[in-house]
Amino acid sequence: CAEEFLITDQIIAQAAAVTVEKYPDSDDVLIDDVIQVEYQPDGTSEKWDDTALKILTEKGKRDNRTLTLHFNTSYGTNYFTKVEVIKPDGSVQPVDLEANTKVMVDPGQMSENIYNPNSKILNLSVPGLEVGDTLRYIAHNVKTKTVVPDTWSDYQVFEHTSPLERVTYRVIAPRSLPLKKIALKDEIPGTVSFEETVNEQDDQIIYTWTVRDVPRMFDEPNMPTRYTVVQRLLVSTMETWEELSSWYWDLCLPRLESTPEMETKAQELVADCTNTLEKIDRKSTRLNSSHQIISYAV
């Protein structure tokens, strides 16, 4: 069954106070959002995201007529458990999930010359959405396998092109694998509060961030990718990058050691080079097959 954190009557009351006059520069407003993730000692996790968003303009309606989720079937799944349109008079129109959902291979990876059939994108159409409506949806993300064993990490954005009235981000962690690294980047003073509690009965630590009244941000020409510059939270059970690099080195080493012929050829190709830059420059004079070999030598 779906985890529900928001209460419909409260959403309706909050939405009534969200107007174009209050937010003249916005197309939609995130009224409330509760994100709760619980991870296990092996790094697998389950996340629920219960969101309410009010539509203020035609552009806001167009931007939200389709909801999108990404996931990789090698590591888990991601899907909606509830989507509904709340009208200004308080009536609720549920969206038929099965009839309006389409799952396909993510076409975005093609720009990087990658084709992974396990990389999926889920699109859900929202029929009947109009200006003045509130869109409420619940997404369920399940990670059944981790990239790095016995670790967990997450990246949450606390600033967007929509004003954020309230966001609650809650992490439920086993005490045997607590968060070791917490970083709030590009903080907007006074908008984020934090609380840490212990659940003795279930042997868990509960980390809670509450975000309130964050003004919308405006994209700038040629700016870096948005999520890398706005207010954001990074959390991890790893304390240093060296832990990650050590894991990756151990992962790659057996494969490197199993290809002595490549190392021999690499050294042969750059035998007359006197420094690293010469080795790199040599790449431009070799065939594509040699490029990888010279990289090995560098």
Side-chain angles (χ1 to χ4, degrees), residues 54-58 60-61 65 85-88 93 126-135:
K54 183 165 182 179
I55 310 302
L56 295 183
T57 68
E58 286 291 331
K61 181 179 76 172
R65 282 187 301 193
V85 176
I86 304 174
K87 295 295 181 177
Q93 297 181 357
V126 184
L129 186 65
E130 300 293 344
V131 174
D133 291 346
T134 298
L135 176 61

Side-chain angles (χ1 to χ4, degrees), residues 139-153:
H140 187 204
N141 182 291
V142 180
K143 291 289 181 67
T144 55
K145 179 183 177 182
T146 60
V147 176
V148 184
D150 305 323
T151 65
W152 182 84
S153 63

Side-chain angles (χ1 to χ4, degrees), residues 240-261:
T240 65
W241 278 107
E242 285 75 15
E243 294 177 62
L244 182 62
S245 63
S246 294
W247 164 80
Y248 192 66
W249 173 254
D250 292 338
L251 184 68
C252 296
L253 187 59
R255 292 162 178 79
L256 296 174
E257 292 179 334
S258 66
T259 56
E261 298 84 3

Side-chain angles (χ1 to χ4, degrees), residues 97-165:
L97 301 182
E98 184 176 354
N100 291 284
T101 297
K102 181 179 181 180
V103 178
M104 67 186 80
V105 176
D106 187 353
Q109 60 186 324
M110 302 300 184
S111 62
E112 301 177 3
N113 199 27
I114 296 173
Y115 180 79
N116 180 355
N118 294 328
S119 181
K120 304 290 188 181
I121 183 170
L122 182 154
N123 287 327
L124 186 143
S125 299
V126 184
L129 186 65
E130 300 293 344
V131 174
D133 291 346
T134 298
L135 176 61
R136 193 265 183 99
Y137 56 86
I138 303 175
H140 187 204
N141 182 291
V142 180
K143 291 289 181 67
T144 55
K145 179 183 177 182
T146 60
V147 176
V148 184
D150 305 323
T151 65
W152 182 84
S153 63
D154 202 6
Y155 192 121
Q156 285 293 326
V157 171
F158 289 161
E159 184 182 7
H160 203 262
T161 52
S162 306
L164 310 181
E165 290 202 331

